[in-house]
Amino acid sequence: MKFPDTNYNPPFNITRASHLTLTVKDLGRSKEFYTEVFGLVVSDEDSETIFLRGVEEVAHHSLVLHKTVDAPRCQSIGMRVQFDEDLDRAKAHFDGEGIRSEWIEVPFQARTLRFHDCAGTPVDLVARMETRQRLLGQSRLHKGGAVLRLDHYQLHTPDPHEASIYYSNLGFRCSDYNVGGTPERITGAFMSRKDNPHDIVYIRGRGPALHHFAYAIMESSHIFRACDAAAQLGFGQTVERGPQRHGLDHMLYVYFRDPDGHRAEIFIMPIQLIDLEEPPHEWGTIGTLEQPWGRPAPRSWFFETTPFENVELSPRLEEWEPMTLEKSLGL
Ligand SMILES: [Fe+2]
């Protein structure tokens, strides 16, 4: 099955995945996890909210944590647009398409436009943020994985095929996709605006829901520094999958579940993807075929996600049985 063509003249110019907001039960414990294990840096904080950035990032925040007494949720994912005028183009596009969008106020961000994509995921578009010092060269300040920058989101939706068409129309390029079912449909899509395989990934599942967000690191040893820091602080059992190597973008990774169960990935540089002669790569059913060595992912990795705040989840999908860690061990 051919992947939808990319619209190389999109209605507005998204440049990259840039920031997300999560709600958490215990702000202090989450701060400890993200600063000591991931190595994120606090840009600003008060008793209700913490704004964090990677050591390479000058933009004020890539992860925002809000304290909640309710079930932990993702409030929104964020994307950068190139210019402030792109926000007006985006607003005109959504109005023309009958898609609800609204201007919202977010501290430390310039004008911000929130819309809900075809899957129902809340997406915040912004052109500018306040800046802080880049700490990449200040190695004495680096902790845990010393993550560099936010790279991508992976989300679940019942219909990744629809999401593939939607984001292709917004200028996203596909590196890899999964197909399955009868008639055949796209069941997973890795799509990007920047120069690597992913800003946003949609996989078939109950949604919309956040499967994980991912930070890039400088060198592979930082994966083990993060795991060791986790162990020393009582977060050792939060390592859910890996360290291992992805097949699709050939990178080393590890997945953690943070104190609220939100899934966050650390990975080392994926392949570069700029030249246009390489077509999207078609894969079969999502599962172990993308993993070159080691045991498959645990069942939790396939089915557990973070819902979005005030967004209704789809009904539960019919069961599918991926090759899980539990199954491979005969459990
Ligand atoms: Fe990922």
Side-chain angles (χ1 to χ4, degrees), residues 3-304:
F3 197 85
D5 289 332
T6 296
N7 174 11
Y8 285 107
N9 188 21
F12 54 95
N13 188 14
I14 293 174
T15 57
R16 66 181 181 91
S18 57
H19 61 291
L20 78 162
T21 304
L22 302 174
T23 62
V24 300
K25 290 275 205 187
D26 183 336
L27 207 50
R29 189 72 171 145
S30 296
K31 177 183 174 181
E32 186 177 35
F33 178 83
Y34 282 109
T35 56
E36 301 292 333
V37 178
F38 273 53
L40 287 166
V41 180
V42 175
S43 293
D44 275 282
E45 64 182 317
D46 59 27
S47 60
E48 299 295 316
T49 308
I50 303 177
F51 296 86
L52 298 150
R53 70 186 192 280
V55 299
E56 181 191 315
E57 293 176 315
V58 293
H60 184 271
H61 53 267
S62 53
L63 177 63
V64 182
L65 304 175
H66 278 310
K67 189 175 175 182
T68 186
V69 294
D70 300 320
R73 294 284 184 263
C74 180
Q75 290 186 330
S76 64
I77 60 171
M79 301 215 184
R80 284 299 189 96
V81 294
Q82 184 85 64
F83 300 110
D84 190 66
E85 302 83 72
D86 281 300
L87 296 172
D88 298 314
R89 295 188 192 105
K91 181 68 176 150
H93 169 76
F94 295 134
D95 288 349
E97 297 284 315
I99 297 168
R100 190 166 60 86
S101 63
E102 58 195 356
W103 299 105
I104 61 170
E105 295 284 332
V106 184
F108 309 106
Q109 292 181 198
R111 280 202 310 163
T112 303
L113 183 66
R114 175 169 294 176
F115 72 102
H116 288 72
D117 73 7
C118 64
T121 300
V123 183
D124 293 350
L125 299 176
V126 64
R128 297 287 178 265
M129 282 186 190
E130 285 190 19
T131 58
R132 294 289 186 269
Q133 186 185 3
R134 174 174 283 135
L135 296 175
L136 185 60
Q138 304 285 322
S139 57
R140 66 192 171 81
L141 301 176
H142 294 179
K143 293 181 171 183
V147 297
L148 297 173
R149 58 182 180 274
L150 183 74
D151 184 81
H152 64 267
Y153 317 110
Q154 186 161 315
L155 302 130
H156 279 189
T157 177
D159 194 355
H161 195 103
E162 181 188 31
S164 303
I165 296 167
Y166 186 90
Y167 278 96
S168 294
N169 283 334
L170 292 183
F172 283 69
R173 176 187 182 184
C174 176
S175 63
D176 300 89
Y177 63 107
N178 301 90
V179 296
T182 310
E184 198 170 65
R185 299 272 290 176
I186 292 167
T187 56
F190 292 67
M191 297 174 286
S192 65
R193 285 291 293 166
K194 63 176 181 296
D195 62 350
N196 76 27
H198 30 44
D199 285 296
I200 190 166
V201 178
Y202 264 113
I203 300 291
R204 188 165 187 274
R206 192 182 190 201
L210 177 69
H211 182 269
H212 71 265
F213 57 101
Y215 275 92
I217 54 172
M218 194 182 327
E219 52 185 276
S220 54
S221 63
H222 288 191
I223 285 178
F224 299 99
R225 283 180 37 149
C227 291
D228 284 340
Q232 290 157 28
L233 293 166
F235 293 119
Q237 298 309 307
T238 67
V239 175
E240 184 188 39
R241 181 183 179 186
Q244 280 178 322
R245 182 182 295 283
H246 281 310
L248 267 60
D249 46 17
H250 317 289
M251 61 194 194
L252 293 167
Y253 67 86
V254 63
Y255 292 94
F256 291 90
R257 303 295 292 272
D258 82 1
D260 291 275
H262 304 305
R263 185 179 293 102
E265 179 184 21
I266 289 177
F267 73 101
I268 192 154
M269 305 303 179
I271 57 171
Q272 178 175 277
L273 196 68
I274 299 175
D275 306 330
L276 294 181
E277 65 266 46
E278 185 178 353
H281 189 116
E282 182 179 311
W283 301 74
T285 306
I286 299 152
T288 57
L289 77 173
E290 308 94 342
Q291 186 172 300
W293 42 261
R295 293 279 185 182
R299 186 173 177 78
S300 61
W301 189 90
F302 287 98
F303 296 107
E304 293 179 9

